[in-house]
Amino acid sequence: MFYIGCHLSASKGFTHMAKEAVSIGANTFQFFTRNPRGFAAKEIDAEDVKTFLQYAQENNFGKILAHAPYTLNPSSADEKVRELALRIMHDDMQRMECVPGNLYNFHPGSHVGQGADKGIELTANLLNTILTPQQTTTVLLETMSGKGSEIGRNFEELKEIMDRTELSEKVGVCLDTCHVYDAGYDIVNDFDGVLDEFDRIIGLEKLCAIHMNDSKNPYESHKDRHEKIGEGYIGLETMRKIINNPRVKNLPFLLETPNELDGYASEIKLLKDSRE
Ligand code: FE
Ligand code: FE
Ligand code: ZN
């Protein structure tokens, strides 16, 4: 099964997102758990959730991916900023259990001058506070481009966070193609080599989702500017190789490209036509 989808607006609820996904040829989707500015979250409607779960099953949906507000910084030097991340993500953990067994992705944070080791420690502390043995949600660390003082700019840092997390079986990784390329992993010339390295350092079984984005900037630029599929430095040929690679082809692929719905529909069609 090819699980392909894109980022959608959550403002009208789960059923609306699922129907929107189907209307553009998708069978999974990503959404923000709340507004990245102001952090307002939509009230969860039990009726909506029930309809969604049924609809997703009927339409053979893959796992869906919730994305934490990217404005949170769990590894900030400021205790207030860290507490906000903790409070929001703790609340998100409870909310995610209304759609059991899905994925929740977040940016590991920026150490803002404290050093990567300190940032890694603070992010692991946050995970050790919010994760519970009962939860069915897998929390994903996103691979980052290394702009500013971002942590998660290489596989070693992600592994370090997981090693310091007690309930590490609840944690996985979401690989963002734009971010890893900008970070200096050459997915264009050697995607399999990058997967080998991921496997050696983290373990491929920890890879749970892929963000499919082309990059507006060249290799190792540490910029993080997403481009439409085939229109950036990564290119369509590499995207084809990725979606057909037997080691990752069954994962959910989520587009976060600069598009409206019709643009997403054509990229999804393009990628579906590129499946071997
Ligand atoms: Fe992200
Ligand atoms: Fe991403
Ligand atoms: Zn990005």
Side-chain angles (χ1 to χ4, degrees):
M1 191 62 118
F2 184 28
Y3 295 113
I4 176 85
C6 65
H7 189 91
L8 295 174
S9 161
S11 63
K12 292 180 183 153
F14 284 105
T15 311
H16 185 267
M17 285 189 279
K19 290 188 171 165
E20 202 161 64
V22 167
S23 80
I24 56 172
N27 53 6
T28 177
F29 57 88
Q30 173 177 277
F31 62 100
F32 285 130
T33 53
R34 54 189 73 226
N35 193 321
R37 323 224 166 250
F39 308 111
K42 193 179 150 49
E43 197 70 50
I44 287 177
D45 172 351
E47 227 15 71
D48 172 44
V49 167
K50 203 175 138 200
T51 313
F52 161 69
L53 291 173
Q54 176 79 29
Y55 185 84
Q57 195 181 10
E58 285 165 6
N59 289 277
N60 300 311
F61 269 51
K63 285 186 196 292
I64 56 168
L65 184 52
H67 196 307
Y70 53 81
T71 43
L72 295 178
N73 186 6
S75 58
S76 171
D78 183 339
E79 194 182 345
K80 284 211 178 70
V81 175
R82 290 201 305 273
E83 268 171 12
L84 177 69
L86 185 92
R87 184 165 60 75
I88 299 281
M89 287 178 64
H90 180 262
D91 186 49
D92 280 352
M93 287 298 97
Q94 323 297 313
R95 296 164 58 90
M96 284 302 291
E97 292 302 311
C98 76
V99 286
N102 284 298
L103 308 168
Y104 178 84
N105 173 68
F106 79 107
H107 296 179
S110 295
H111 64 73
V112 283
Q114 307 172 93
D117 280 352
K118 187 66 188 169
I120 286 164
E121 180 192 324
L122 291 169
T123 296
N125 288 350
L126 168 122
L127 289 172
N128 284 329
T129 312
I130 65 167
L131 298 178
T132 65
Q134 298 79 27
Q135 73 179 67
T136 64
T137 304
T138 303
V139 174
L140 307 185
L141 302 161
E142 183 165 353
T143 60
M144 302 310 291
S145 68
K147 71 170 183 302
S149 64
E150 275 175 349
I151 57 170
R153 65 196 154 154
N154 56 44
F155 300 156
E156 286 83 355
E157 290 186 357
L158 297 177
K159 167 69 171 163
E160 192 63 34
I161 295 169
M162 285 189 265
D163 280 350
R164 295 187 195 204
T165 304
E166 286 153 38
L167 293 168
S168 60
E169 69 273 20
K170 305 290 182 188
V171 182
V173 174
C174 173
L175 184 138
D176 185 308
T177 55
C178 167
H179 298 178
V180 291
Y181 192 62
D182 285 17
Y185 288 97
D186 194 358
I187 56 174
V188 170
N189 294 303
D190 191 12
F191 182 62
D192 261 307
V194 172
L195 288 183
D196 287 343
E197 193 166 339
F198 188 101
D199 194 33
R200 186 170 56 81
I201 295 162
I202 300 177
L204 261 186
E205 69 285 353
K206 283 290 185 188
L207 185 55
C208 298
I210 298 191
H211 280 164
M212 288 296 275
N213 304 308
D214 211 322
S215 177
K216 280 194 199 294
N217 292 289
Y219 178 66
E220 230 174 350
S221 58
H222 304 290
K223 284 285 203 316
D224 186 3
R225 300 270 317 280
H226 302 182
E227 182 54 284
K228 293 186 171 108
I229 299 297
E231 294 185 21
Y233 280 86
I234 297 176
L236 182 58
E237 228 4 82
T238 297
M239 293 301 181
R240 279 210 177 99
K241 269 190 271 175
I242 295 173
I243 57 168
N244 289 303
N245 187 296
R247 297 155 90 186
V248 299
K249 64 184 291 197
N250 296 318
L251 297 176
F253 293 92
L254 284 313
L255 298 159
E256 301 175 306
T257 44
N259 276 306
E260 302 294 330
L261 266 192
D262 56 343
Y264 278 134
S266 17
E267 288 190 349
I268 287 167
K269 179 166 190 316
L270 177 66
L271 293 176
K272 278 178 157 178
D273 290 346
S274 305
R275 266 292 261 221
E276 285 152 14

